[in-house]
Amino acid sequence: MSKKFLTDVIVQSTEMPAVAANRLASDLIEAIKTEITGTGRFTLPDFGSFVVRETPKRTAMNPRTGEKVPVKAGATVRFKASPALKEAALAGMKKAKRKAAKA
């Protein structure tokens, strides 16, 4: 999904001018970022949740040289799909498989 995709959906559903829809999409993305950085979590019911997880300090290997390289501790954002989204995705996959089998 991209900001352009969000903008297009907003324009189609609200008949809002593209410039205003783009600004709205930017504001939504910024609000989500602010919530994630502030609380470490953002949840959309029936979609899923974004959660900040800490990554530990570790040792990795450089694939070119085989040399061991230290990696600092950090953080990453993980997404966990809601049960409703998982069910819808599974139904979509089954439908696509049935359609492909017919062809």
Side-chain angles (χ1 to χ4, degrees):
M1 181 179 345
S2 65
K3 189 167 104 174
K4 180 166 178 10
F5 174 79
L6 286 175
T7 301
D8 292 343
V9 169
I10 293 168
V11 167
Q12 289 173 1
S13 66
T14 64
E15 299 177 7
M16 181 183 290
V19 173
N22 189 25
R23 190 171 42 238
L24 178 60
S26 294
D27 290 345
L28 283 171
I29 292 168
E30 193 58 40
I32 291 169
K33 282 185 196 176
T34 302
E35 185 68 18
I36 289 172
T37 57
T39 64
R41 173 185 272 301
F42 178 77
T43 303
L44 283 171
D46 293 331
F47 184 70
S49 61
F50 297 89
V51 181
V52 176
R53 299 272 171 105
E54 291 183 24
T55 56
K57 185 171 107 173
R58 62 187 175 89
T59 303
M61 187 172 64
N62 183 333
R64 285 192 180 171
T65 63
E67 175 186 1
K68 291 190 176 188
V69 181
V71 178
K72 304 187 283 189
T76 186
V77 178
R78 302 246 172 114
F79 176 74
K80 182 177 179 188
S82 72
L85 179 60
K86 287 180 185 178
E87 188 176 307
L90 180 61
M93 284 180 55
K94 286 181 180 178
K95 185 176 180 181
K97 284 183 181 178
R98 285 194 308 267
K99 194 173 186 179
K102 284 184 179 180

